Amino acid sequence: MAEAEDDPNAQGFTMTKEDLMVRRNQTQVWSCRNGEKHKNFRTGALTIAEGRNIAEGDHNKAVISKWLAENNHLSVGDAIVVELKEGIFQTGSQPMKTWGQPIHLEIAGLFHGSFHQQASEHTPEWGYIDNIIYTDFDTYTKLQKNLDAAGFASEYRDGYTKAEFLVDDPGKLDGIMQQLEDSEEFGLENMKVTVDSAAYQAAAKPYHQVRMFAVILLAAGLFGTGIILCLVMKFWAQGRTHEIGILISIGIKKGEIFGQILTEYLLISAVALTLSFCLSGSLMDRCAAVAEQMMEPKTDEGAFEVTVSDLYEPVIMKTASDEVELEHEVSIGAMGFTAVFLCGILSISTLISLAGMRNIEPKKILQSM
C-alpha cells in the first residue's frame, strides 16, 4: 500500500504501512502481583504449560502464551521487548516512534488456554487471549512512566486503575459490598464497584443440584418409610389378634400389652438400625460416586466462554463447573435423627394399630379359634 502524506485528520486519510505494522503488532500488557491469583489462572481458564507464573517481587518478567512463543520461536528464559509506539495512541506522521525507553522482559513462563477462542474479522490482535502478555507491577510502572513522559495518563503513574478483592464466603458478599459503599476510607464516589460471581455460580451449580436431589430423596424416603411402617405395623397387629385376646382374657391390661408389643418392635428395629449403620458407609460411598459421575462436566461442552469487551479486551467467563468432589460421612446427628424418627413412627403405628382393638372381646376371639 502506498504511503500517504495527507493530514491524518483530513477526509480520505489513508493508513500507511507503518500504521498497519503498529496495529498488527499491538497487544496488551496485563500486570499482576501474583499470577496464580489472577482471575484467568484462578478459574483454570489459563494454566502454566512451561516455566512459572508471575510471582511477588518479580522485575521485568513476562508470561506469554505457548502459541505466541511457538510462532515466534521463543522459549522460557528468552527475552522480548515491549515498546509504546505513537501510532497506538494517535495518528500522525510517525506511528513507529517509540515513547520512552524500550523495556526488556525475560519470559518466565508459557500459558495454555483451556478453551478455543473463535477467530473473527472484527477482533483486533489485542482482543485474542493468546496475544496477551502478563507481567509484573514493576514493568507496569515503567510503562506508565513512558506514558507520563509523553503527556499521557500521568494521574495513573503512582496508583492503580483497578483492584480486585476475593471473598472467601459468598454469603457475606452483600454485606461486604455494603461496607465498601458506606466506608469513607476508600472514597468510592468516583469508582465503579461490580460483583463477579460467574465462576462461583458455575462451580456451585452442581452442588446445588446434588443438594436439591438429596433433599427430595430424603423427603421421599421419610414419607415412604412412614407409610410402609404404618402398613406393616397394622397387618402385624391384626395377625396377633388372637394373642392379644388371650392376654386380655387372663387379665393383662391393654397398656401393658401395648408396651410389650412396642418393646418387641423396638428391639427388632435396633437390630435393623445397627445393620443399616454398619452398611451405610459403603452405601454412601457408592451413592456419592454415582452423584459425582452424574454431575461430571461434559467433555463436549466448553467450560469457558470468551467474549470481547467494548474496549476490545478478551473477557473469559467460566460457564461450567470443575469435577465435583463430595465429602460425605455418616454423622452421629444423622444416626440419631434416623433412630428417633424410626422409633417415633413405630410408636405411632403401634398405637394406631392397637387403637382399633380397644373394644376387642376376648370371648369372641377364643370362640373363633
Side-chain angles (χ1 to χ4, degrees), residues 134-311:
Y134 290 89
T135 187
D136 52 83
F137 275 153
D138 180 61
T139 302
Y140 169 84
T141 302
K142 293 177 180 179
L143 290 172
Q144 294 301 320
K145 287 182 178 180
N146 287 343
L147 283 175
D148 183 53
F152 280 80
S154 59
E155 65 272 22
Y156 302 137
R157 183 162 60 87
D158 298 323
Y160 302 98
T161 60
K162 181 180 180 181
E164 185 177 82
F165 300 91
L166 303 180
V167 179
D168 56 3
D169 185 356
K172 300 179 180 179
L173 185 57
D174 293 337
I176 294 175
M177 290 289 293
Q178 189 63 44
Q179 291 179 11
L180 286 174
E181 294 176 358
D182 297 340
S183 175
E184 298 180 357
E185 178 182 357
F186 296 99
L188 302 178
E189 61 274 2
N190 296 323
M191 298 183 184
K192 182 179 180 181
V193 182
T194 59
V195 176
D196 183 6
S197 60
Y200 166 74
Q201 295 297 337
K205 182 178 179 180
Y207 293 97
H208 290 322
Q209 293 175 341
V210 170
R211 181 179 180 182
M212 182 61 65
F213 177 75
V215 171
I216 295 175
L217 186 63
L218 176 63
L222 293 177
F223 179 78
T225 301
I227 296 297
I228 292 174
L229 283 177
C230 288
L231 293 176
V232 169
M233 292 300 101
K234 179 180 179 180
F235 293 133
W236 198 352
Q238 289 178 351
R240 302 181 66 175
T241 303
H242 291 165
E243 177 187 350
I244 294 173
I246 294 174
L247 293 175
I248 294 176
S249 65
I250 60 178
I252 299 178
K253 298 180 180 180
K254 293 182 180 180
E256 296 178 358
I257 298 174
F258 170 79
Q260 176 185 337
I261 295 177
L262 180 60
T263 302
E264 295 175 2
Y265 292 167
L266 291 177
L267 290 175
I268 297 175
S269 299
V271 176
L273 284 173
T274 302
L275 293 175
S276 65
F277 291 153
C278 293
L279 298 175
S280 60
S282 58
L283 291 176
M284 186 171 292
D285 291 338
R286 295 291 298 274
C287 292
V290 171
E292 291 176 352
Q293 186 176 5
M294 291 174 59
M295 296 297 139
E296 184 177 358
K298 304 295 187 298
T299 56
D300 57 344
E301 296 182 2
F304 299 92
E305 179 181 338
V306 186
T307 58
V308 180
S309 68
D310 295 338
L311 299 177

Side-chain angles (χ1 to χ4, degrees), residues 4-16 19 23 86-87 90-95:
E5 300 296 337
D6 302 309
D7 182 358
N9 297 319
Q11 185 175 3
F13 170 72
T14 303
M15 297 178 63
T16 65
D19 288 315
R23 282 160 176 77
E86 183 173 309
Q90 62 186 24
T91 57
S93 59
Q94 295 180 301

Side-chain angles (χ1 to χ4, degrees), residues 60-62 78-82 103-107 133 135 139:
N60 295 354
K61 301 295 183 181
D78 291 344
I80 60 175
V81 179
V82 293
I103 303 175
H104 296 263
L105 303 177
E106 179 187 352
I107 299 176
I133 299 176
T135 187
T139 302

